[in-house]
Amino acid sequence: MCRIGAIKSLNYVHPSQALLLMQSQQKGHDNSGFAMVMHDLGGIFESYKHLPTLSLACTDEGLKVAEDILHAAGFSRVLQWVPETNDQPGLDINAMPNYVFETFDYPKHYRKAEQKEKEELLLDMRLKLRRALEKDEMGFVYSFWPDVVTLKEIGDPRDIGTYFNLWEPDNKFTARVITAQCRQNTNYDIVRYAAHPFFLQGYTALANGENTFYLKNVEAQRKMHRGYIGFESDSQCFLYTLHYVHRELGWPLRYYKHVITPLPFEDIERREDKDQLLAIRQSLAHLEINGPNTIIGVLPDNTLFTCCDAKKLRPVVVGRSADTVVISSEVCGINEVLPDRDWETDIYPHEREIVAVDSNLEVQRWRQ
Amino acid sequence: METMKVQNVTPNDLPWKIRYDASRCTLCGSCVAACSFRAIEPKVERRRMVFSESEFPEPKQRFSAVPVIRQAHSIKNYCRGCGICEKVCPNDAIGPQRNIDTRHPIVTRCLGGDSIKRGGRKNLEATTRTLDKLRVGRISQMTDPSLDAQRHTFDLLAPFGRILPPKKLPFGVGPEGLLESKDQAPPVRWIYPVIIGDMSIGALSWRMWEAVAMATAYLNEECGLPVRMCSGEGGMPVRLLKSRYLKYMILQIASGHFGWNRIAKAMPHMTEDPAGVLIKIGQGAKPGDGGLLMAQKVAEHIQSIRGVPKADLLSPPNHQGLYSIEESVQKMFLSFNAAFKFRVPVAIKVAASATSVSVFNNLVRDPYNIVGGFFLDGIDGGTGAAHEVSLDHTGHPIVSKLRDCYLAAVTQGRQGQIPLWAAGGLGKTGDLAADAFKMMCLGANGVFTGKLILQMAGCVGNDMGRCNACNTGLCPVGITTQEPALVHRLDPEKVAQNIVNYFLAMDQEFKKLMAPIGNSSLPVGRSDALISTDKAVAERLQIQYVC
């Protein structure tokens, strides 16, 4: 079973906090990997929030191919940050030769373009890079988006932390929202892309659990959007559904739950909005999920949320202090990060509920 | 002595021979009275008995006339093997036996100069069915725990009606951040995933039809299962059209348009909308052939409901005057949709055939959003009457064709937009829940069944040529006849009870199948839940092969 966690704070937080959050839950995962997505970046990226940052793990050749493609498309590099790695012997890590975080300026003719247009360009570029680097596993492009970086690695999370010097907090590499998971994929092939969290156009999702409607979801999603690719893990479907419902259909977040875990017909009949709920249930039947799972997600405006399957078969807890909210599979993770909080205010989300945390750390709970 | 003519028909030429043991027979006459085909008759035989009365043999002979039962030597009154004689015989003195040397297909055509017509089923290929080569192989375990069939709740409903793609939903976001409907959407009814298939009030006896309607109402109103029943071609009693029970009925319009005059006239008096309208283009059991109601079955009430004289009634193979999918079907859909003011879903039923995917592909484009369902009927379905040659030799099995249609929808990203309903031999082995479940995994939203309903009522026919006399009007158990004496053999209350009980058992079985794969709603499209030990089947249906 996976263990997942997320931190959202008014202050910039270092990834060491995410490692701590996950470490205390290590009996619940198998130490086979560590992955995280950071939104709302601080440190060296703080001044470049409006420009897209590429998160790439690659070979030397892969780096050249990627940069050539971006330059050919008119992107110009404004910042490159290569984390200092600590390649000491004995570390359990299956590292790529290069980890590159590069911030680019848009091509000239895009600089005055609509936001939406830029967002489509960034997606197309990422897809293009991914296709180009797939050959001989030259590289893995995790995200190419403003104010977001992604790190994924195979190995023991503690050693991965050591390798990237993530145990020592500093103020160079920080973010206000960090989501993390400590495990490689187990359902399908072990590939770097398969590790949670998954990212698409400002949306991040990670999950603890299974998606028994994986095949149905995949068959439907493949045709829905060009960005819905890969499907290395059944949990990727949760991200794509989130993206589809919130961005493509433009529906408020609360309807995400109505899509993935629709209310039973009996309950729908009793609702005032039954026409809408029934229409959602029937039109989006192929995006329903039936497996046991807990999902944590981040929206482009950095809203953090969590929800569970319809029967609440996977655990999740939300803990809060004045300036930080932590979501974790197990409460011990929160204890590690927020030892002094009032644990009586912890939220154990209901099976028919979305708990959402906005940028002012206001917590909203929507009963489905 | 009469000259023996070797061309004469004898029981040895017929498909069934009567086994008769005169020593056990008490001559009660029950068998002769019960045989609706007049395939057995009383006869007097002249018997010679040799006897001796003295101490030493002094053979004498005595002749006597002995009444016995014998099989009719007639191609018209041949034994169908229904076994009613055996059922009614108190002494086990009589019963039919299959004659493997039958010359029936030849002599019948030779003597009659006409093709053989038969009701019931196709009688070829009694091999293992494809569905029996599939198993539910994905059993949820520790990571994706199975559900508890007794404790958890399940949603066992299937859509009937046109389902809009998400981007076409007429929604806007209101001031409070809630979705609001801005426009009307096509009608969709969520109903039980097993529809009672289309069997007309002419094909069935009035008691049988009434029993099915009664069972449907009971299932809805007492058991909470929203089961729908299809009327079949031929209309229905006006009293029912005007009643509140109409909401459980799907009105069928087939190519003969029988009974629609009365339906149209009853429209202003309807207090409820019907559950739907089903336009029958074709049927699996006789694809490309018209439906046939023999004159023998056109009783007075059928004449009055359909507005026809007592004559053979043929529903043409297709709606005459409809020559292309694009124009004609849409035109029909529009008119029926409009008749009920777009409140009632309108679906289409076609025969599984090499071309049915093309029809489906045409329909899924559906620019008017009016195609409320695609019903697909396979060759293993039953029928009231057909020429034997079409019954046995035309048509397409349902499983792969349903799968093809579903995958065609997947390829276009339109799965579920026109609900797929499939039938044709489902429940043949008696386990409808298993068959329906597998069909859903392969992509069906629901299934419909007719023949199995007859089995529930006590039909004695089978796929190996037993009985299959639905066309004769002589159904020995009163299911497919309008002969008053035969109809009275059927106990409608008992039939309704059997149907209700079967559905309740099936409902439980659905849950028992859904629970282990971790599903609380129907497993539509979950082909990953199926496995096959047959490589060819696995490849053809694109499911996992196991060995």
Side-chain angles (χ1 to χ4, degrees), chain A residues 91-97 99 152-156 160 190 192:
Chain A
L91 290 184
D92 175 10
I93 177 169
N94 186 5
M96 290 292 287
Y99 291 85
K152 292 188 181 187
E153 204 36 79
I154 301 172
D156 187 318
I160 293 168
I190 306 288
R192 283 182 157 77

Side-chain angles (χ1 to χ4, degrees), chain A residues 223 255 281-283 290 314, chain B residues 143 155 164 179 190 411 520:
Chain A
K223 294 283 165 185
Y255 290 97
R281 176 151 201 184
Q282 60 207 28
S283 288
N290 230 219
R314 284 285 187 271
Chain B
T143 59
D155 265 349
L164 291 180
L179 289 179
W190 284 85
T411 309
S520 45

Side-chain angles (χ1 to χ4, degrees), chain A residues 219-220 223-224, chain B residues 357-358 360-366 404-415 417:
Chain A
E219 283 179 347
K223 294 283 165 185
M224 282 181 148
Chain B
V357 179
S358 320
F360 179 67
N361 277 336
N362 270 289
L363 291 179
V364 284
R365 293 185 191 134
D366 187 21
D404 289 350
C405 285
Y406 178 72
L407 291 176
V410 168
T411 309
Q412 299 172 56
R414 290 172 186 263
Q415 57 268 54
Q417 292 176 15

Side-chain angles (χ1 to χ4, degrees), chain A residues 250-255 366, chain B residues 172-180:
Chain A
W251 294 354
L253 176 64
R254 68 173 72 192
Y255 290 97
W366 292 305
Chain B
V173 181
E176 289 176 13
L178 295 174
L179 289 179
E180 291 172 356

Side-chain angles (χ1 to χ4, degrees), chain A residues 73-75 105-112:
Chain A
F75 283 92
D105 200 350
Y106 290 99
K108 268 188 189 147
H109 57 287
Y110 267 93
R111 284 182 194 158
K112 286 184 182 161

Side-chain angles (χ1 to χ4, degrees), chain B residues 184-262:
Chain B
Q184 197 191 346
V188 179
R189 309 269 160 82
W190 284 85
I191 60 177
Y192 200 73
V194 181
I195 289 177
I196 296 177
D198 31 333
M199 296 176 289
S200 75
I201 198 167
L204 301 181
S205 70
W206 73 87
R207 278 194 169 198
M208 178 62 193
W209 205 84
E210 193 179 276
V212 182
M214 200 153 50
T216 306
Y218 193 90
L219 284 165
N220 274 280
E221 299 189 352
E222 298 296 324
C223 310
L225 301 188
V227 176
R228 297 291 174 264
M229 165 183 173
C230 185
S231 70
E233 171 159 55
M236 57 170 74
V238 170
R239 206 152 60 95
L240 182 54
L241 287 170
K242 293 178 183 171
S243 77
R244 66 188 172 88
Y245 300 106
L246 185 64
K247 62 186 171 200
Y248 308 135
M249 312 294 288
I250 295 168
L251 301 178
Q252 183 177 81
I253 177 155
S255 49
H257 295 242
F258 291 124
W260 267 82
N261 194 24
R262 286 179 28 131

Side-chain angles (χ1 to χ4, degrees), chain A residues 210 212-213 215-216 219-220 223 244 248-252 254-255 264-265 276 278-284 286 288 290 292 311 314, chain B residues 143-145 147 152 155 157 163-164 166-167 169 171 177-181 188 190 406 411 413 415 518-521 524 526-528:
Chain A
E210 309 296 322
T212 43
F213 275 0
L215 183 70
K216 270 182 88 156
E219 283 179 347
K223 294 283 165 185
Y244 190 76
E248 295 299 302
L249 295 178
W251 294 354
R254 68 173 72 192
Y255 290 97
F265 290 104
Q276 290 83 352
L278 208 51
I280 291 173
R281 176 151 201 184
Q282 60 207 28
S283 288
L284 292 152
H286 288 263
E288 184 184 341
N290 230 219
K311 296 191 166 62
R314 284 285 187 271
Chain B
T143 59
D144 47 350
L147 302 175
H152 284 117
D155 265 349
L157 294 178
I163 288 172
L164 291 180
K167 284 193 172 166
L169 286 174
F171 285 170
L178 295 174
L179 289 179
E180 291 172 356
S181 299
V188 179
W190 284 85
Y406 178 72
T411 309
Q415 57 268 54
N519 258 42
S520 45
S521 53
V524 181
R526 278 210 61 195
S527 57
D528 60 315

